[in-house]
Each structure stands twice: as structure tokens, then as C-alpha cells.
């Protein structure tokens, strides 16, 4: 349990304390005390993210709990406003904000079925900050018409950012709704020798897209053994965008070179969504690139087991905004699986940064 996660847990535990203080009128100056509690809890939201990014302590637990803690804190305050008379926050605004969270939570649930982790979006963070500032002003209940005007502006801003962040999250992670549980639609030659995809063309598209956006990329591969970066290197001019590539075949190299947590591997194994995400985050941080791509899986012919069949592959893609993982079960021989996984990694990277 690292420091950012502890701060997030602390923020979660502050929620019932805040609710109790704010709703108990017999407590002197209860609204001011509640505002102080809310401010302290809100500050932990800034510090846990800052520490996690600065010291590379980003974890899947944090990606899950951090946005949840924000929602609990903000929504508890909004619901309290509905039962305490005299508050300026209208019912319809509370309804929109809370319904957005229900939709996102359902979306994350669908993503988890595919072992995909959806991190908080940048616009979502701005939305949460605006909501927190608005809530603090309402809690202090200043008797000033100018501050009242600011409160109303912040209420409308909160609703607009709520809707925008919802649309952005659904659009950027629209791959959640795609069925990825089979042979990739864009693999390389399959076991029958058929030339299914257009690997070279896709690699060229990726390089051109990276160059157009001014992005750099790095790769961390396990089962593909450098197959993915080989596709990129085959494109002339790839040196403009490629920062680094590493093959971390054993668990020790994943931990030492990429910073994958030993606990993650112990709990989820090296072939998992969690490991793929940490590999992608790790190689992006290590290389100092804008995009990090990881591939980990079981290429066979041996090594498969119940729940972990030969052909099971996880692809992780990390950007400054979020980190996602994608699960596939490819078919064919060892080299077929490696080629299909590499081609799918290129395709997913294009979809992510486009």
C-alpha cells in the first residue's frame, strides 16, 4: 500500500465524517467545520495524484479508487444540499452529475469484464475541481450577492463539464464495446499461411500519426519478443518517433527495468491486465516517451493452463491521460500468435492516439 493509495483511502473515510457533521445542526458552526473537512479531503485528491505521478507510484488500485473517492465525496455533499434548506444547488444539476457517475461506473464494469482499466480523464479532473470549489462556497454560505453569482456560474460549469467528460470518456474508450475475444481482425499471417492483415501499412499509419501529433513511442514486449517494434522500425523515418524498446521476457526484468510490482505479478500473474498496464506505464516513464505499449502473453506451444490458454495475450497502452489494457485469445502456432499480437498492438495504438 503506497502513500497515494493511503491518501485516497483517507479521503474515502472522511466522507461519512463530513456528512455527519454537516447534517447535525446541534454542532456549533457545523457548516464551517464541514467545509474544513471537505477542503482537507479535497486536498488529498491533489496530493495523491501528484505523488503518484512524480514517483511513478501509479497503480491499478489507485486508478480504481481515486475516481471513486472523488465521486463519493462530491456526491455526498450534493445529496446533503438536497435535504438542507436554503442551498442554491438545484435538483436537476445534482441529478445530471450523479447520473453521469452511474453511467461511468457501469461503463467501467463492462470494461472490467474485458480486463480493461479505465483511468480518470483530464476533463473529468477539471470537472471534479470545479465541483469541489462550488461545494466549498456553498458550504461556507457567504451572505454576499457577488459570491452567490459565482456559485451559480460554477454550478452551470459543473453540469457542462460533467456532460463533456462523459462524452469524452465514452468516445475515447469506445473499444470497450468491441468484442476482442478471438483472433485479431488485423493479425499477421495465420496458421494456414493466409495473408490476413496489412501489417506494414498499419505500421506506416502509426509512424505518420505519431509524427503528425509530435508524439514519441516506446515498447515493452514479452511474448512477442520485439515483433511489435520490428513492424515500426520497418517504416522509414521511424527514428523520428521511436524512443526505446525492451524485451522483458522474465518477471525479474519486468520488475527491475519497468517497475512492475512484484505484488502485481504474485496476485495477478505476469499474463494479466494489471501487469500489461504497469509494463506500459513503466516503459513510457523509463523512455520518457508520450506513448508506452506493452505486450505480455502465452505464445505456446507449452505454458497454457486452465484460465490461461495458449494464445492469451494482454496489450497495454499508456498515455499521459490514461492507461488501458486489452485482452485477446489468438489462435495458430507460436509465431502466428506473436505476429497477430504485434499487429493488434499497432492497431490499438493507432485507435488510442487518433
Amino acid at each position: 500500500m503506497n502513500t497515494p493509495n493511503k491518501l485516497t483511502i483517507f479521503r474515502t473515510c472522511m466522507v461519512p465524517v463530513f456528512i455527519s457533521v454537516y447534517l447535525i445542526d446541534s454542532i456549533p458552526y457545523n457548516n464551517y467545520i464541514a467545509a474544513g473537512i471537505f477542503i482537507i479531503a479535497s486536498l488529498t485528491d491533489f496530493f495523491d495524484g501528484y505523488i503518484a505521478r512524480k514517483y511513478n507510484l501509479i497503480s491499478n488500485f489507485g486508478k480504481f479508487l481515486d475516481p471513486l473517492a472523488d465521486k463519493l465525496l462530491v456526491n455526498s455533499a450534493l445529496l446533503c444540499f438536497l435535504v438542507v434548506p436554503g442551498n442554491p444547488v438545484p435538483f436537476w444539476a445534482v441529478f445530471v452529475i450523479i447520473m453521469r457517475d452511474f453511467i461511468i461506473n457501469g461503463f467501467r464494469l463492462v470494461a472490467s469484464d474485458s480486463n480493461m482499466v479505465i483511468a480518470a480523464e483530464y476533463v473529468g479532473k477539471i470537472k471534479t475541481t470545479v465541483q469541489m470549489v462550488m461545494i466549498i462556497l456553498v458550504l461556507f454560505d457567504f451572505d454576499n450577492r457577488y459570491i452567490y453569482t459565482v456559485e451559480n456560474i460554477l454550478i452551470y460549469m459543473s453540469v457542462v463539464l460533467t456532460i463533456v467528460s462523459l462524452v469524452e470518456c465514452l468516445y475515447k474508450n469506445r473499444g470497450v464495446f468491441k468484442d476482442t475475444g478471438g483472433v485479431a481482425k488485423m493479425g499477421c499471417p495465420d496458421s494456414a499461411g493466409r495473408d490476413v492483415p496489412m501489417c506494414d501499412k498499419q505500421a506506416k499509419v502509426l509512424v505518420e500519426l505519431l509524427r503528425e501529433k509530435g508524439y514519441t513511442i516506446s515498447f515493452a514486449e514479452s511474448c512477442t519478443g520485439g515483433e511489435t517494434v520490428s513492424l515500426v522500425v520497418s517504416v522509414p523515418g521511424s527514428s523520428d518517433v521511436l524512443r526505446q524498446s525492451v524485451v522483458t521476457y522474465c518477471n525479474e526484468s519486468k520488475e527491475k527495468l519497468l517497475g512492475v510490482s512484484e505484488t502485481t505479478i504474485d496476485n495477478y500473474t505476469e499474463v494479466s491486465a494489471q501487469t500489461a498496464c504497469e509494463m506500459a506505464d513503466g516503459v513510457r516513464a523509463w523512455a520518457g516517451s508520450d506513448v508506452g505499449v506493452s505486450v505480455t502473453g502465452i505464445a505456446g506451444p507449452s505454458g497454457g493452463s486452465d484460465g490461461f490458454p495458449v494464445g492469451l495475450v494482454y496489450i497495454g497502452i499508456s498515455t499521459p491521460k490514461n492507461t488501458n489494457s486489452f485482452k485477446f485469445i489468438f489462435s495458430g502456432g507460436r509465431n502466428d500468435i506473436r505476429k497477430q499480437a504485434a499487429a493488434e498492438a499497432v492497431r490499438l495504438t493507432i485507435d488510442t492516439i487518433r
Side-chain angles (χ1 to χ4, degrees):
M1 182 68 65
N2 58 38
T3 299
N5 290 343
K6 290 178 181 178
L7 287 173
T8 304
I9 291 174
F10 172 76
R11 180 162 74 258
T12 305
C13 294
M14 292 291 284
V15 171
V17 178
F18 161 78
I19 295 173
S20 300
V21 171
Y22 186 60
L23 294 182
I24 299 176
D25 294 332
S26 59
I27 299 177
Y29 305 105
N30 66 316
N31 62 311
Y32 294 108
I33 298 174
I37 295 172
F38 190 91
I39 291 172
I40 293 172
S42 301
L43 288 174
T44 66
D45 181 41
F46 168 77
F47 285 111
D48 64 7
Y50 173 77
I51 295 171
R53 289 187 296 271
K54 182 176 181 180
Y55 297 102
N56 195 27
L57 296 175
I58 297 172
S59 65
N60 282 324
F61 178 79
K63 292 175 187 176
F64 164 76
L65 189 60
D66 180 64
L68 180 61
D70 294 341
K71 291 178 176 63
L72 288 172
L73 182 63
V74 170
N75 290 343
S76 64
L78 293 174
L79 290 173
C80 285
F81 291 159
L82 294 181
V83 298
V84 175
N87 286 297
V89 184
F91 170 81
W92 63 265
V94 176
F95 176 80
V96 170
I97 293 171
I98 293 180
M99 281 304 298
R100 179 263 185 195
D101 292 341
F102 272 106
I103 294 171
I104 292 295
N105 287 339
F107 189 62
R108 290 180 187 276
L109 184 61
V110 174
S112 68
D113 287 339
S114 300
N115 290 305
M116 293 173 58
V117 178
I118 298 177
E121 297 287 347
Y122 183 68
V123 174
K125 283 292 185 181
I126 296 177
K127 176 264 305 178
T128 300
T129 301
V130 172
Q131 289 175 352
M132 287 179 171
V133 173
M134 176 266 291
I135 289 170
I136 291 170
L137 289 179
V138 173
L139 287 170
F140 277 115
D141 193 22
F142 294 109
D143 187 15
N144 183 293
R145 64 189 181 96
Y146 296 107
I147 293 181
Y148 181 78
T149 300
V150 173
E151 288 175 359
N152 278 280
I153 292 173
L154 291 175
I155 290 171
Y156 283 99
M157 284 181 62
S158 296
V159 173
V160 171
L161 288 170
T162 293
I163 297 171
V164 171
S165 66
L166 172 63
V167 173
E168 180 192 42
C169 182
L170 294 179
Y171 177 76
K172 285 190 174 181
N173 297 285
R174 59 192 182 279
V176 169
F177 298 113
K178 296 179 181 178
D179 187 4
T180 59
V183 179
K185 295 180 181 178
M186 237 194 51
C188 278
D190 62 13
S191 57
R194 293 170 297 192
D195 225 357
V196 177
M198 297 179 292
C199 300
D200 294 340
K201 290 185 179 180
Q202 290 295 322
K204 184 178 180 181
V205 170
L206 175 59
V207 171
E208 291 177 349
L209 184 60
L210 289 166
R211 187 185 291 115
E212 175 188 325
K213 292 182 173 292
Y215 292 167
T216 55
I217 194 169
S218 55
F219 295 88
E221 301 182 62
S222 183
C223 65
T224 43
E227 191 80 36
T228 311
V229 74
S230 179
L231 289 174
V232 175
V233 170
S234 68
V235 179
S238 58
S239 58
D240 295 339
V241 299
L242 179 60
R243 290 294 299 271
Q244 188 129 342
S245 175
V246 60
V247 176
T248 51
Y249 216 70
C250 66
N251 292 344
E252 184 179 6
S253 64
K254 290 180 178 67
E255 295 168 10
K256 287 187 176 181
L257 297 179
L258 303 178
V260 176
S261 169
E262 183 179 355
T263 302
T264 297
I265 294 178
D266 289 342
N267 291 342
Y268 302 102
T269 79
E270 65 273 23
V271 182
S272 64
Q274 292 78 8
T275 298
C277 285
E278 291 190 22
M279 287 174 64
D281 284 335
V283 76
R284 184 172 70 83
W286 183 34
S289 60
D290 300 291
V291 182
V293 180
S294 68
V295 185
T296 181
I298 305 171
S302 61
S305 63
D306 293 340
F308 293 87
V310 170
L312 175 64
V313 174
Y314 288 92
I315 297 171
I317 301 179
S318 172
T319 69
K321 292 184 178 181
N322 60 16
T323 303
N324 290 329
S325 68
F326 304 84
K327 176 184 177 181
F328 295 89
I329 300 178
F330 298 110
S331 63
R334 178 180 177 83
N335 288 333
D336 301 325
I337 291 170
R338 292 175 55 234
K339 290 178 183 295
Q340 292 173 65
E344 193 64 29
V346 171
R347 185 189 69 80
L348 287 170
T349 306
I350 292 172
D351 286 348
T352 298
I353 66 176
R354 177 167 279 164

